[in-house]
Amino acid sequence: MPALKKIASTVISAALLSGLALTPAFAADRDKQDDKQPKPPSTMSSLGGEQLAKTGPQVNLGPGAPVLPKKLSGRSWVVADAESGDILAAHNAHWRLPPASTLKMLFADTVLPALQPTTLTHTVKESELAGVGEGSSLVGIKEDQTYTVHDLWLGVFLRSGNDAVHVLSEMYGGVPKTVTAMQKHAEELQALDTTVVSPDGYDAPGQVSSAYDLTLIARSGMQKKDFREYAATASADFPGEKKGKKRESFEIQNTNRLITGDIGVDPYQGIAGVKNGYTTHAGNTFTGVAERGGRVLLVTVMNPSAEESHAVYKEAAHLLDWGFAASGKVTPVGQLVPPKSLDTGNVNGGKGAQPAAGADQGSGGQAKAAHAATAGQGSGGVGIALAVVGGLLVVLAAGVFLVNRRWPVPGLTRRTPATADAAGTVKPADPAEKAEKAEKAEKAEKAEKAEKAETKASVGAAETADSAESAGPAASTSTGPTSSASPTEKS
């Protein structure tokens, strides 16, 4: 028995020693795995503020400000006020990373103003689809079929269709010309972390952007009416193949889950776009814009490492929630810079008063063809492109999102053209014009009184007739044809 006990003791001791010896090895293996994770560069651009050149989370909390959300895994992110340009918080803002399909925002901001009107049609050639990368997200464009520019842009914004991007690029003058124009536009916007290789964001050597740049690009795109409406569209009918005299259609839905929702993701209240993406090298990327309580925020999240489903949307929503709660309680860590060509020295005159190229151009009203309702103006005199009320997507008709407050200059008071000219002096009223206006007002008042008297005489009969009427039948609703195809976004 003593011998058995001695043997057992020896075996147990050996096992414990082995475990202790292996534990550091396991820890070393984990350290090696962590070392393989990409690290942000030690020096990054300081464009927009010195604090943005630093690695790690950057935030200047004031009294009553909430702390940043916990467990944020994005390699890079930015939360900014879309109107003032203040960056409320950031994390590795200038880290140059693959952008995936968020680069389509730059494609649209560059190309969309040139392809007008949106009723312009194009018959697709097989060669125009030849350059689409393998595994790309597709909207389902077919050669020898004719599409409007409007159709193609819906394919870009909703389904992130690389096939639609390549067709539009050919219409613009070819992929090389499009890439050159996109790079030039990025430099004009001061999106200097961005290198464009493919117009669709498909993985390509050297193609990079940053959370800072993508936020700049989104802010520029949202100045354009058509861009806003496409970005805010939840679903639409897309033309299919023509068989005989009849052409089929199928429904496409926006892949932005903060607009449409998904399992584990609710539509975000006040969301107004903009673009999501995914590739093998980029991981998930997302830039969004939302309004709440009169404030408009932009958020960009790049490559969250969390294994949680839809992490990029959840982290973006958490950052938006934080941004709305923290607005006015934090000191900005930086600024979204204006375009190079913009003269910010004069609010009402010079280049600063002029719209950017393509701003608010286009046909407008495109959302009417999509599956979305219309509503009135947003708060503060600035119409918001989209609001979510009880999960229902609502497109606002005003269509002036961010336009009235384009590229604001900090510290200067905005003046309206009705009260001052470019020099800031009040214009005196012309006496003859004043008398003419008074005469017209007097005539209008008399006519209104006469109309009221006439209406009053018939009001009793009208009320009787109205009370006798029964409510009309409820309006019928219909849904368009749907497609079972749901391609996975790969760019």
Side-chain angles (χ1 to χ4, degrees):
M1 288 292 290
L4 288 174
K5 287 182 179 179
K6 188 174 181 179
I7 293 171
S9 177
T10 302
V11 171
I12 292 170
S13 298
L16 288 172
L17 287 171
S18 299
L20 291 171
L22 287 172
T23 300
F26 285 135
D29 287 341
R30 289 193 64 180
D31 289 341
K32 287 179 181 178
Q33 289 176 359
D34 291 340
D35 288 341
K36 291 180 181 178
Q37 292 297 320
K39 304 291 183 183
S42 56
T43 57
M44 292 183 288
S45 170
S46 61
L47 182 67
E50 292 295 330
Q51 203 167 345
L52 299 179
K54 299 178 180 179
T55 60
Q58 303 298 316
V59 63
N60 302 322
L61 299 177
V67 297
L68 287 170
K70 297 179 180 179
K71 298 181 180 179
L72 293 174
S73 65
R75 291 181 183 175
S76 175
W77 52 259
V78 162
V79 184
D81 187 301
E83 295 178 316
S84 69
D86 290 339
I87 296 179
L88 308 183
H91 175 65
N92 303 328
H94 283 290
W95 189 359
R96 298 178 179 182
L97 297 166
S101 278
T102 47
L103 194 66
K104 287 183 173 77
M105 295 187 297
L106 178 60
F107 170 72
D109 197 35
T110 304
V111 174
L112 196 153
L115 298 181
Q116 298 292 338
T118 55
T119 53
L120 182 68
T121 60
H122 179 76
T123 302
V124 177
K125 300 175 183 177
E126 185 177 359
S127 59
E128 295 171 347
L129 302 174
V132 178
E134 185 179 351
S136 288
S137 53
L138 307 172
V139 67
I141 291 174
K142 303 294 182 182
E143 60 269 16
D144 300 326
Q145 300 293 317
T146 300
Y147 301 86
T148 65
V149 168
H150 175 55
D151 294 330
L152 297 171
W153 282 118
L154 286 172
V156 171
F157 277 88
L158 273 66
R159 290 304 309 174
S160 201
N162 287 5
D163 47 358
V165 170
H166 278 255
V167 173
L168 287 166
S169 295
E170 290 299 327
M171 294 178 70
Y172 188 74
V175 169
K177 180 181 177 180
T178 302
V179 168
T180 300
M182 288 172 66
Q183 189 65 59
K184 184 177 180 181
H185 188 49
E187 292 168 4
E188 155 63 17
L189 295 177
Q190 299 202 65
L192 306 181
D193 298 325
T194 300
T195 299
V196 184
V197 179
S198 66
D200 49 26
Y202 190 82
D203 283 334
Q207 181 155 270
V208 291
S209 190
S210 67
Y212 184 89
D213 281 14
L214 292 174
T215 309
L216 271 184
I217 292 164
R219 192 183 187 210
S220 175
M222 293 300 285
Q223 309 298 323
K224 300 173 177 62
K225 185 175 182 179
D226 284 354
F227 187 106
R228 294 192 300 272
E229 291 177 343
Y230 289 126
T233 301
S235 62
D237 287 333
F238 193 82
E241 293 189 68
K242 188 176 182 181
K243 296 180 179 179
K245 294 183 178 181
K246 185 179 179 182
R247 188 170 188 180
E248 298 177 349
S249 65
F250 55 93
E251 185 183 81
I252 56 174
Q253 287 193 337
N254 202 316
T255 55
N256 178 350
R257 299 309 180 197
L258 291 190
I259 287 181
T260 58
D262 202 349
I263 298 173
V265 180
D266 293 327
Y268 191 82
Q269 184 177 5
I271 193 70
V274 205
K275 193 69 190 77
N276 56 299
Y278 173 80
T279 63
T280 304
H281 294 292
N284 287 288
T285 58
F286 176 72
T287 297
V289 62
E291 184 271 346
R292 187 180 295 174
R295 291 187 182 274
V296 185
L297 298 184
L298 281 162
V299 64
T300 296
V301 177
M302 300 187 75
N303 202 344
S305 59
E307 296 179 0
E308 184 182 11
S309 176
H310 297 315
V312 74
Y313 300 112
K314 293 176 182 178
E315 293 189 16
H318 292 327
L319 285 168
L320 284 170
D321 286 342
W322 175 85
F324 287 122
S327 292
K329 301 175 183 176
V330 296
T331 301
V333 299
Q335 278 277 322
L336 297 175
V337 295
K340 284 183 180 179
S341 63
L342 194 69
D343 177 10
T344 57
N346 191 330
V347 175
N348 293 305
K351 295 178 182 178
Q354 300 302 316
D360 264 11
Q361 292 180 2
S363 62
Q366 302 299 338
K368 293 178 182 178
H371 301 161
T374 55
Q377 257 186 317
S379 58
V382 180
I384 305 303
L386 188 70
V388 178
V389 182
L392 175 66
L393 232 55
V394 182
V395 177
L396 302 189
V400 288
F401 180 79
L402 301 184
V403 173
N404 288 347
R405 303 185 185 183
R406 182 182 290 106
W407 318 123
V409 182
L412 295 180
T413 304
R414 242 175 235 101
R415 295 167 295 177
T416 63
T419 57
D421 59 14
T425 56
V426 178
K427 295 181 179 180
D430 180 59
E433 184 180 353
K434 187 176 180 181
E436 184 181 354
K437 287 183 178 179
E439 184 179 355
K440 287 182 178 179
E442 186 178 355
K443 289 181 179 180
E445 185 179 359
K446 288 181 180 179
E448 185 179 358
K449 286 181 179 179
E451 184 179 353
K452 285 182 178 179
E454 183 179 351
T455 304
K456 190 174 181 181
S458 59
V459 103
E463 288 180 349
T464 303
D466 287 341
S467 63
E469 286 185 4
S470 58
S476 61
T477 59
S478 62
T479 57
T482 59
S483 170
S484 58
S486 180
T488 302
E489 184 176 353
K490 290 291 182 182
S491 54

